[in-house]
Amino acid sequence: MNQSMTALVSAFARAWHAEHNESPVFHDPLARAMLSDREYADIARNMTQGAAFFAPEGTGDPLRRVVDQHLAPTPLGRAAFAEQSLQRAVALGAGQYLILGAGYDTFAYRQPPWASGLEIFELDRPEAMEDKQRRLRDRAFPLPDNLHFLPADLTDPHWPQALDQCPAFHPERRSFCCLLGLLYYLPADALPRLLTALADRLPQGSALVFDYPVSLEGKQAQLAQGAGETMQAAYSYGEMEQLLSRYGFLIYEHLEPEEITRQYFSAYNQANPRHPMTAGEKVNYCLAVKQR
């Protein structure tokens, strides 16, 4: 199957949140278009039927409880963090945006005016890239001129060839790299190879933004395993700091769940006191900048 079930569920969570909230944590108006009507209905039905697994206690709409408490917080919070960080990076001179493990990310198709000077590169497994491009064709999405699709399996040591062989990619140009939802599924020994490849191709001042798990326990890990996409690795802050430093990256911003909730969910919670949301308990966000 070409589709990643976790990517589909993430798109569903972004779409459902955008459609049902006037004060969203993160507004993705195109997420719904990434899913067929049948996929959207099937995921909604399955999550409603599985509400007892996710949220055994509570009142009100069971689907809303599942989405608000379990499916949406991490995709929404990390997207808000990443795109806010990207905007700052562009203001400081970043000219390339690399989306690794792009999945059903929609930034390129709703890019704001401040992104017009970026070259955007979406990288993902060939079968995942083919699936996404089919969805875009089926929905007649206009493709921006600054977008480049690069099929690349990030677990394959030869994946950097996709960048090296792309005429639009310039290794001397400051870049911003997005690795959202990726580190969960990379084996621990694959992350150093990934950081090596990026460090070799990014100039000083380039940045990485990503989320990472501090534990492989919990409902999210169980859901991923049930979908056949077992989470592979978790990291402590100290381990992540040392690993990044080894390849020339310095942590510029690091957020744990309490601070994520304060920064990105407070406005939503004030507007929706009956449906509060908090960041995932076992997930941190990180922005790292290349120092050498």
Side-chain angles (χ1 to χ4, degrees):
M1 183 175 68
N2 290 338
Q3 300 97 325
S4 160
M5 183 53 64
T6 54
L8 287 171
V9 171
S10 177
F12 170 83
R14 299 195 312 273
W16 197 96
H17 185 77
E19 291 182 340
H20 292 83
N21 295 285
E22 295 183 358
S23 301
V25 174
F26 176 79
H27 185 56
D28 187 345
L30 300 184
R32 177 65 182 83
M34 286 292 169
L35 305 175
S36 69
D37 292 342
R38 180 174 181 177
E39 287 171 333
Y40 189 88
D42 285 348
I43 293 173
R45 182 180 64 254
N46 290 336
M47 294 304 162
T48 300
Q49 293 174 348
F53 168 76
F54 288 101
E57 298 180 0
T59 58
D61 181 0
L63 179 58
R64 176 151 202 146
R65 293 204 313 273
V66 172
V67 173
D68 286 357
Q69 297 176 23
H70 297 280
L71 301 185
T74 294
L76 296 175
R78 70 191 183 195
F81 174 65
E83 294 194 13
Q84 182 183 84
S85 301
L86 172 62
Q87 185 174 7
R88 291 198 302 262
V90 170
L92 294 172
Q96 300 182 137
Y97 182 30
L98 282 61
I99 310 174
L100 278 64
Y104 301 123
D105 187 278
T106 65
F107 178 83
Y109 320 102
R110 54 177 172 79
Q111 52 184 296
W114 53 259
S116 61
L118 284 173
E119 293 295 328
I120 302 173
F121 305 85
E122 290 194 5
L123 294 89
D124 211 333
R125 293 173 296 108
E127 60 270 25
M129 190 68 69
E130 180 182 351
D131 172 65
K132 183 174 186 177
Q133 290 177 297
R134 175 186 60 77
R135 292 170 186 267
L136 295 171
R137 290 193 301 269
D138 289 348
R139 292 150 183 78
F141 267 50
L143 300 182
D145 294 336
N146 61 340
L147 173 64
H148 312 274
F149 294 111
L150 303 182
D153 183 344
L154 299 175
T155 64
D156 183 336
H158 302 294
W159 78 263
Q161 292 178 3
L163 276 178
D164 298 339
Q165 296 172 2
C166 179
F169 176 71
H170 299 283
E172 75 282 358
R173 194 176 187 190
R174 187 180 298 180
S175 298
F176 187 91
C177 302
C178 176
L179 294 79
L180 299 186
L182 180 62
L183 271 60
Y184 306 74
Y185 303 104
L186 284 180
D189 61 353
L191 182 54
R193 293 198 298 270
L194 177 63
L195 292 174
T196 297
L198 292 174
D200 288 346
R201 288 164 177 81
L202 302 180
Q204 184 176 354
S206 296
L208 312 178
V209 66
F210 57 91
D211 56 327
Y212 70 95
V214 298
S215 171
L216 297 181
E217 300 178 353
K219 294 283 178 38
Q220 297 298 324
Q222 293 176 42
L223 178 64
Q225 185 170 3
E229 300 173 41
T230 303
M231 293 185 180
Q232 299 287 322
Y235 305 87
S236 68
Y237 172 81
E239 290 170 334
M240 185 57 67
E241 183 181 40
Q242 291 181 10
L243 189 57
L244 290 167
S245 178
R246 189 183 311 161
Y247 299 98
F249 293 95
L250 178 68
I251 292 179
Y252 181 82
E253 187 174 5
H254 186 271
L255 301 182
E256 296 183 356
E258 183 176 354
E259 182 61 21
I260 294 169
T261 299
R262 188 189 70 79
Q263 287 196 33
Y264 295 102
F265 293 87
S266 292
Y268 169 83
N269 288 339
Q270 290 176 6
N272 298 273
R274 295 179 56 194
H275 308 288
M277 298 178 68
T278 58
E281 294 182 357
K282 304 179 187 299
V283 176
N284 294 341
Y285 301 169
C286 185
L287 174 66
V289 178
K290 189 167 187 284
Q291 300 297 301
R292 61 180 190 274

